[in-house]
Amino acid sequence: MSQTLSDYITEVRRLLHDANANFYTNAELTDNINAARLRVVRDTGCLRDLQSYTLLANAETFSYSNLPKADRTLDILNINVYWGNTRVPLRYLAWTDFNTQLRYWQNYRGVPVGFSIYGANKVYVGPIPDQNYAVDVDTVIMPVALVNLSDVDEIPEPYTGPVQFYSAYIAKYKEQSYGEAEIFKQEYIKNTQSVLNSVFTRRMPSPYSTPY
């Protein structure tokens, strides 16, 4: 069932024992809820989007700001290069490995086979493209802020569950009730871990492979 801003506010008020809005305004709780939604996405990577982009010939790098959802892109998980009738998934390498293996020959050009993230938002691909290549970029994106009470959250279930606890944590931390704030933060951590465990343990990589 999709969560609306109104649903979130009701849940948070129940946690804070403020059903009649005596202590917290809707505007304040809305800010807390949107901050909590962003935190959930950052911690779980639950909101993903395949963004289309074109790697340019002779260009070794591109930044998150070049992508269609530049202002919302938090992280890049995978990149697929379209080469003829095939999709070639690029191998992710840590920068040290990428620099050693794929940047050795300065003048070499070819079909990219790997990528690495350098700094906060710069992506290196290697080898340097010998022509323009269309790519799909698998990204984690920030959620759009909820404004109206009827706005429906784009974060899917069951990842909406921990939002109320982090929202309550922010509210209590702001009023310097640090003991209660810590309780809500621990509940957030516990609920987030529970969601991740319930989702990941249902996936079977292959019935024929050895467990990892």
Side-chain angles (χ1 to χ4, degrees):
M1 183 176 178
S2 300
Q3 284 281 94
T4 64
L5 177 57
S6 179
D7 295 331
Y8 278 132
I9 289 176
T10 299
E11 291 173 351
V12 176
R13 287 200 183 282
R14 287 172 177 166
L15 290 176
L16 297 173
H17 300 288
D18 188 32
N20 297 320
N22 295 321
F23 305 106
Y24 304 96
T25 66
N26 277 357
E28 182 179 10
L29 292 184
T30 297
D31 289 343
N32 295 349
I33 288 165
N34 283 321
R37 293 170 62 240
L38 177 57
R39 179 60 186 260
V40 169
V41 172
R42 286 174 55 192
D43 287 345
T44 66
C46 63
L47 193 58
R48 293 169 67 171
D49 187 71
L50 275 179
Q51 302 188 50
S52 297
Y53 181 67
T54 300
L55 298 178
L56 302 179
N58 301 313
E60 186 180 22
T61 69
F62 69 93
S63 68
Y64 291 11
S65 61
N66 297 126
L67 297 174
K69 295 183 178 178
D71 58 336
R72 297 179 59 193
T73 302
L74 287 173
D75 196 11
I76 291 177
L77 306 179
N78 303 288
I79 300 176
N80 288 327
V81 172
Y82 285 84
W83 185 38
N85 293 321
T86 62
R87 291 191 186 94
V88 181
L90 301 191
R91 185 163 59 107
Y92 171 76
L93 295 170
W95 172 252
T96 302
D97 293 332
F98 179 88
N99 190 50
T100 302
Q101 298 178 33
L102 295 178
R103 302 185 77 231
Y104 184 80
W105 297 106
Q106 296 185 50
N107 296 323
Y108 181 74
R109 302 291 186 270
V111 181
V113 296
F115 78 100
S116 186
I117 310 296
Y118 188 82
N121 61 6
K122 181 175 285 188
V123 184
Y124 278 75
V125 295
I128 297 173
D130 57 345
Q131 63 184 50
N132 291 354
Y133 290 98
V135 294
D136 286 334
V137 186
D138 180 11
T139 59
V140 178
I141 59 173
M142 293 186 289
V144 174
L146 301 177
V147 178
N148 302 306
L149 293 177
S150 59
D151 287 349
V152 178
D153 197 356
E154 60 187 326
I155 296 176
E157 292 283 0
Y159 298 97
T160 55
V163 171
Q164 58 180 315
F165 296 104
Y166 201 83
S167 302
Y169 157 73
I170 295 173
K172 287 297 181 180
Y173 193 88
K174 284 180 180 178
E175 69 179 29
Q176 299 183 332
S177 297
Y178 299 123
E180 292 179 84
E182 185 61 25
I183 292 172
F184 285 125
K185 187 175 183 180
Q186 291 304 315
E187 284 299 312
Y188 165 77
I189 293 172
K190 183 170 67 176
N191 276 264
T192 301
Q193 291 173 339
S194 176
V195 168
L196 290 174
N197 289 336
S198 68
V199 172
F200 292 156
T201 53
R202 285 197 290 264
R203 305 287 193 272
M204 181 183 291
S206 170
Y208 307 106
S209 66
T210 55
Y212 56 83

